Every structure is written in structure tokens, then in C-alpha cells.
Amino acid sequence: MITPTTAAAPNPIRVIVADDEQLVRAALVKMVNSRPDMTVVAEAGNGPQAVRCAQTQRADVVLMDVRMPGGDGIEATGQLRSLPTPPQVLVLTTFDLDDYVFAALEAGASGFLLKDTDPERLFHAIRMVAAGEGMLAPSVTRRLIERHPPACGRVQGQHGGRPARAPHDAGGGGPSMPSRRG
């Protein structure tokens, strides 16, 4: 379903909203269209519809639900990312499960947020993934950090056999997700 544009920005971020729940989809469309730098160009009720929309409508970002009857969002994410001009995919789901996070990222998603995300954080995430950056829900980021401690963060053999903290990098930058451009 094509949705009329209401954005005032000269080059708004073009968004496709893919969610099987009509009420959720309508709310997301209204929220996204309320931002002057964003516009919804199409809506989809399942993964295959989202792929068809992306083939006919130029989109910068697809907001993608994970579990949808008629075609899930993970498979559709992989198909979207293999298009000649692929949109970035921001997964937006109620399921805070590591299996979904890893599957979505492996399929090429640039971000993973939960549907209880604050609207301003959602808008920020859309802008970030449209710019080629990655964005994860804070709970997902925390679990990834806990599961994968930095290999170079500890130095053995100092302080009486206890691991010692390595000095902090004076450059300041922290870990970040690599860009998923193109």
C-alpha cells in the first residue's frame, strides 16, 4: 500500500513500514510521517510485501517486524539487502531474544530495537541507519557486551597473578558497530 508523503524536508528519509498488525503499522506510519525529515513511502503486512514495496518504491530504511504470517522479517531482510540498491533495515519487534538479534544481523539488518522503544529513540535510530550506522536496543547491547568481553581488556601476570586492567585508550573512542553501507 502506497502512503502519500507529508514530509516538509527537501530530501526526507524514505521509510517502508512492515508489520502484520494493522494498528501497530498505522501508528508507526503516523509517527514517522510526523517528523519533517522522514516520510513513509509504503506499508507492508509481511516480509514478501516489504520486498515488493522496496522493488517499486525507493526507500532508505525499512522498519521490519520479525514474526509475521505470510513471510517473516528475517528472510525478507536478507532479500532486501541483496537488492541492487538495498535499503537499510531496522528490525522493530516485541521479541527480545538473542536468536532473533543474531539472525537479523546475519541477514544484514543495520539495527534491532524493541517495540517499547521511546519514539525519539526510534527516530534517532532511523536517522542513524539511514546514514549507514548501526543501532541496537540497550538491552541487546548490554547482553552482547556481557557475552563477549574484550579479549585485550585484561593482561595476565601482573598484580600477584590476578588479571590487571589494561590502560584505557587515550583516544577516547568506544566500540561501535561497523557501517552497513550498500
Side-chain angles (χ1 to χ4, degrees), residues 55-73:
Q55 290 169 330
T56 61
Q57 296 292 313
R58 185 182 62 77
D60 302 304
V61 176
V62 176
L63 289 181
M64 181 71 74
D65 191 15
V66 172
R67 290 178 50 180
M68 297 180 280
D72 75 70

Side-chain angles (χ1 to χ4, degrees), residues 10-111:
N11 293 310
I13 298 169
R14 298 169 57 86
V15 179
I16 294 173
V17 177
D19 196 297
D20 62 311
E21 295 181 38
Q22 188 174 4
L23 184 62
V24 172
R25 193 170 63 241
L28 287 169
V29 167
K30 189 170 186 121
M31 287 171 46
V32 170
N33 279 337
S34 76
R35 310 308 329 163
D37 62 334
M38 299 176 194
T39 187
V40 174
V41 295
E43 301 175 38
N46 60 40
Q49 285 178 1
V51 173
R52 285 192 299 276
C53 288
Q55 290 169 330
T56 61
Q57 296 292 313
R58 185 182 62 77
D60 302 304
V61 176
V62 176
L63 289 181
M64 181 71 74
D65 191 15
V66 172
R67 290 178 50 180
M68 297 180 280
D72 75 70
I74 303 295
E75 184 176 333
T77 295
Q79 293 171 1
L80 287 165
R81 295 301 297 155
S82 68
L83 292 174
T85 327
Q88 302 296 327
V89 178
L90 176 58
V91 172
L92 188 62
T93 184
T94 57
F95 300 101
D96 189 11
L97 302 172
D98 289 348
D99 288 347
Y100 287 143
V101 174
F102 295 128
L105 295 176
E106 286 174 6
S110 296

Side-chain angles (χ1 to χ4, degrees), residues 133-158:
E133 300 297 325
M135 178 64 74
L136 296 175
S139 62
V140 171
T141 304
R142 171 56 41 209
R143 285 197 315 273
L144 286 173
I145 291 169
E146 289 170 355
R147 290 177 101 182
H148 303 285
C152 62
R154 303 228 179 244
V155 178
Q156 296 291 333
Q158 297 178 2

Side-chain angles (χ1 to χ4, degrees), residues 110-130:
S110 296
F112 191 98
L113 293 178
L114 301 175
K115 287 183 179 173
D116 66 355
T117 297
D118 176 82
E120 290 304 318
R121 184 177 296 246
L122 174 62
F123 302 141
H124 176 70
I126 291 169
R127 291 179 188 108
M128 292 294 292
V129 300

